[in-house]
Amino acid sequence: LDLRQMIVDNKDRLLKAVKKDLHRDERFTDFVEIGLCLQEIEYFLNNLKQWMEPTHANKTLVTLFDSTYIVREPYGVVL
């Protein structure tokens, strides 16, 4: 189960919880909290492959005959 699907499946429950706790209009919450969150998830999913690609690094005297690039590795899992 991914985060996007969990938010979509529980949208009504989230809206009611914010309404009860913060007394905020559900339309505002839907746009600001849920809508923007879903847009950010889409943005990250669309760009993740590009961000994970190795990037070329400048060569130095020591690495003159080598292929130099930077490989990004995640630090861990983020909730």
Side-chain angles (χ1 to χ4, degrees), residues 8-9 13 18-20 31 34 44 47 57 61-63 65 68 70 73 77-79:
V8 170
D9 290 346
R13 292 177 63 197
V18 172
K19 176 77 169 173
K20 182 178 179 183
F31 176 74
I34 296 174
F44 283 110
N47 291 296
L61 186 59
V62 176
T63 62
F65 300 107
T68 57
I70 300 170
E73 295 181 0
V77 178
V78 177
L79 297 176

Side-chain angles (χ1 to χ4, degrees), residues 2 7 9 12 21-22 28 37 40 43 45 49 51 71:
D2 63 2
I7 292 172
D9 290 346
D12 292 333
D21 289 346
L22 303 177
F28 182 77
C37 186
E40 286 188 8
Y43 174 77
L45 290 176
K49 186 174 182 176
W51 294 337
V71 177

Side-chain angles (χ1 to χ4, degrees), residues 7-30:
I7 292 172
V8 170
D9 290 346
N10 295 297
K11 182 177 177 179
D12 292 333
R13 292 177 63 197
L14 292 168
L15 291 173
K16 288 178 185 177
V18 172
K19 176 77 169 173
K20 182 178 179 183
D21 289 346
L22 303 177
H23 307 289
R24 187 185 298 159
D25 183 53
E26 291 181 1
R27 292 172 298 188
F28 182 77
T29 301
D30 187 16

